[in-house]
Amino acid sequence: MHCIQSITADICYVGASDRRLSLFENVYPIPRGVSYNSYLVLDEKTVLLDTVDKAVGDRFWENVEYGLQGRPLDYVVVNHMEPDHCALLMETLRRWPEVQVVGSAKTVSMISQFFDLDVSGHCVTVKEGDTLQTGRHTFTFLMAPMVHWPEVMVTYDVTEKILFSADAFGTFGALNGNLFADEVQFERDWLDDARRYYTNIVGKYGVQVQSLLKKAAQQEIAMLCPLHGPIWRKDLGWFLDKYEKWSTYTPEERTAAIFCGSVYGHTENAADLLANRLAQQGVQNIALYDVSHTDVSLLVSEAFRCSHLVFAASTYNNGIFTPMENLLLDLKAHNLQNRTVALIENGSWGPQSGKLMGEIVSSMKNMTLLGETVSVKSSVKEAQCEVLKALADALAADIMA
Ligand SMILES: Cc1cc2nc3c(=O)[nH]c(=O)nc-3n(C[C@H](O)[C@H](O)[C@H](O)COP(=O)(O)O)c2cc1C
């Protein structure tokens, strides 16, 4: 049965949520599910903004057919070609053979890559600033390449001051009746998923997100309609500020996130001793993660959130303990920068992890290595306690400076 909601007098939400999928993009755990958002504009002409993932196709078709009430679909705007948004494009053209596909030039070429579909007769190829009149509404298109694919654009409804923002401002999490961010406890219940979504999926492209934010700042935006997660119609500034921080790799909180890679717990003991001393020195909200038991997408998100990062890892076959090496390479791949870092290594015969972690960190932009690497030989002894204390005191002073 169709399940749609009006978001303005003549725009309705026709998307749907998937609570069954365990890994988004086959890599990110989504215990709270995910929504695939799609919007139908019922103006003199009808406009569908993006389709959805095939997993929710049945509901989507019921929603769109019900929303159209027998009217033809005149336009389908493709802001983003990722299959979780355009999987049903071919079927859309089959159901409404007269529909016009609106997208960037890169979108048009990508359509023929994903589908055996010649859309040449159905295409309105748009570039930066082009407009589409549909009656009461005027839409303009802003290119947003690499947010997070090359073909991406966002669509601004000049009439209603709505930014259909593609994957920008999206988040993991199914929508459970409440479509709007002001209808939920966003900071309590959604912010961690929004940060994990942004940092892992878009985080590498901070520069490109910055240019989109600058373009968006030229427009008066009353509503943000992303392709995943809640719609924003109030306190947009709060979320835009998060995007400003995340896309400039600015930490949200001055505190320590300690990432520990330990086989038998001795390196973890050093990490706990450091955390203990940090707390005694007044540092609050310290985060400490076992990298073997925490999904790396959360670790990436936490490294974006916190100002000071500690990497504590065993040496493992002359390298960095594998889950820790994966994390460091993932942080580097996501362009993380502007952090203060401290290192703890362990090795029972030839400790290497400190040097190797330091090489990865030093190859990242604007990363400050604080103090000496604390080196543990199998288990922590009194001598290391003193060195750990000194490191904790230097970190605490830096955090609270
Ligand atoms: C499979 C395995 C391989 C290891 N390889 C090395 C190594 O190449 N060099 C070294 O100095 N220590 C090596 N170690 C020892 C660890 O670095 C570490 O000293 C020991 O595991 C105790 O720390 P933990 O309890 O935090 O793991 C290895 C340990 C394991 C289990």
Side-chain angles (χ1 to χ4, degrees):
M1 172 58 76
H2 53 79
C3 180
I4 73 175
Q5 279 196 45
S6 294
I7 56 174
T8 68
D10 58 1
I11 300 177
C12 52
Y13 177 89
V14 292
S17 285
D18 183 345
R19 299 176 184 87
R20 296 164 182 240
L21 184 66
S22 56
L23 291 178
F24 184 78
E25 291 185 358
N26 218 16
V27 60
Y28 305 116
I30 44 169
R32 296 178 57 245
V34 66
S35 72
Y36 299 107
N37 298 347
S38 174
Y39 305 92
L40 182 64
V41 181
L42 300 163
D43 196 354
E44 287 171 30
K45 296 287 186 189
T46 57
V47 187
L48 181 67
L49 288 117
D50 294 287
T51 76
V52 294
D53 188 281
K54 58 180 182 298
V56 296
D58 291 348
R59 189 70 60 258
F60 172 72
W61 294 125
E62 288 169 339
N63 291 347
V64 177
E65 300 275 4
Y66 178 73
L68 284 170
Q69 293 290 304
R71 293 179 64 185
L73 182 64
D74 297 303
Y75 295 102
V76 53
V77 173
V78 180
N79 283 309
H80 184 18
M81 272 300 294
E82 197 169 1
D84 60 331
H85 305 299
C86 77
L88 304 184
L89 188 61
M90 207 142 130
E91 175 65 12
T92 304
L93 271 77
R94 201 190 61 73
R95 288 175 183 237
W96 295 284
E98 300 314 309
V99 74
Q100 292 292 301
V101 179
V102 182
S104 66
K106 288 194 180 111
T107 288
V108 175
S109 64
M110 250 190 211
I111 288 174
S112 56
Q113 291 171 203
F114 275 101
F115 307 104
D116 284 333
L117 195 60
D118 172 10
V119 288
S120 44
H122 291 267
C123 248
V124 178
T125 306
V126 292
K127 61 186 182 310
E128 185 79 18
D130 280 0
T131 58
L132 174 70
Q133 304 273 354
T134 59
R136 196 172 75 80
H137 292 264
T138 300
F139 296 95
T140 184
F141 304 98
L142 308 172
M143 299 303 125
M146 298 323 291
V147 182
H148 59 113
W149 277 25
E151 86 298 349
V152 171
M153 68 179 190
V154 296
T155 301
Y156 179 62
D157 177 350
V158 181
T159 314
E160 295 279 6
K161 300 183 176 31
I162 298 176
L163 185 67
F164 295 95
S165 60
D167 272 343
F169 307 106
T171 172
F172 299 134
L175 291 173
N176 307 317
N178 297 124
L179 290 187
F180 298 97
D182 56 274
E183 295 176 319
V184 297
Q185 297 278 345
F186 192 88
E187 185 162 8
R188 185 190 69 190
D189 300 336
W190 287 80
L191 179 57
D192 287 347
D193 260 339
R195 183 187 303 109
R196 189 166 64 94
Y197 171 95
Y198 173 88
T199 55
N200 286 280
I201 294 171
V202 192
K204 180 183 178 82
Y205 305 109
V207 168
Q208 291 83 352
V209 173
Q210 274 289 301
S211 63
L212 173 59
L213 289 176
K214 287 185 178 58
K215 282 184 191 174
Q218 308 300 317
Q219 312 291 347
E220 186 191 343
I221 300 175
M223 198 181 280
L224 276 174
C225 288
L227 287 177
H228 299 289
I231 297 167
W232 285 78
R233 60 183 177 188
K234 288 181 190 159
D235 305 329
L236 280 66
W238 179 84
F239 202 33
L240 286 163
D241 175 62
K242 292 294 179 193
Y243 259 69
E244 182 61 27
K245 283 194 169 67
W246 297 339
S247 57
T248 53
Y249 305 94
T250 305
E252 292 167 72
E253 188 171 357
R254 290 190 69 79
T255 189
I258 303 170
F259 305 99
C260 171
S262 177
V263 183
Y264 296 110
H266 300 87
T267 311
E268 183 180 21
N269 176 224
D272 274 322
L273 286 162
L274 185 87
N276 233 17
R277 180 70 183 182
L278 284 171
Q280 287 157 22
Q281 297 296 79
V283 177
Q284 298 191 332
N285 300 321
I286 300 162
L288 198 164
Y289 293 99
D290 181 330
V291 297
S292 297
H293 296 277
T294 315
D295 187 79
V296 67
S297 64
L298 177 58
L299 302 176
V300 169
S301 180
E302 285 293 90
F304 268 74
R305 183 177 68 83
C306 299
S307 57
H308 290 66
L309 311 178
V310 180
F311 300 103
S314 301
T315 303
Y316 197 80
N317 299 333
N318 241 358
I320 306 168
F321 182 43
T322 319
M324 179 64 82
E325 185 175 38
N326 292 344
L327 169 60
L328 285 164
L329 293 176
D330 214 357
L331 293 177
K332 180 176 179 178
H334 281 86
N335 239 342
L336 183 70
Q337 48 198 275
N338 309 335
R339 293 299 183 275
T340 298
V341 172
L343 300 173
I344 299 172
E345 70 170 359
N346 194 329
S348 290
W349 58 90
Q352 285 290 319
S353 52
K355 178 171 87 57
L356 299 172
M357 290 194 288
E359 285 168 1
I360 296 174
V361 170
S362 306
S363 70
M364 294 160 69
K365 258 171 86 182
N366 197 22
M367 300 291 262
T368 306
L369 276 168
L370 188 76
E372 293 299 309
T373 298
V374 176
S375 193
V376 177
K377 261 208 151 186
S378 303
S379 69
V380 179
K381 300 293 185 296
E382 274 312 321
Q384 279 91 39
C385 286
E386 284 315 304
V387 182
L388 280 167
K389 223 164 98 180
L391 179 63
D393 293 358
L395 266 173
D398 203 70
I399 289 168
M400 300 200 286

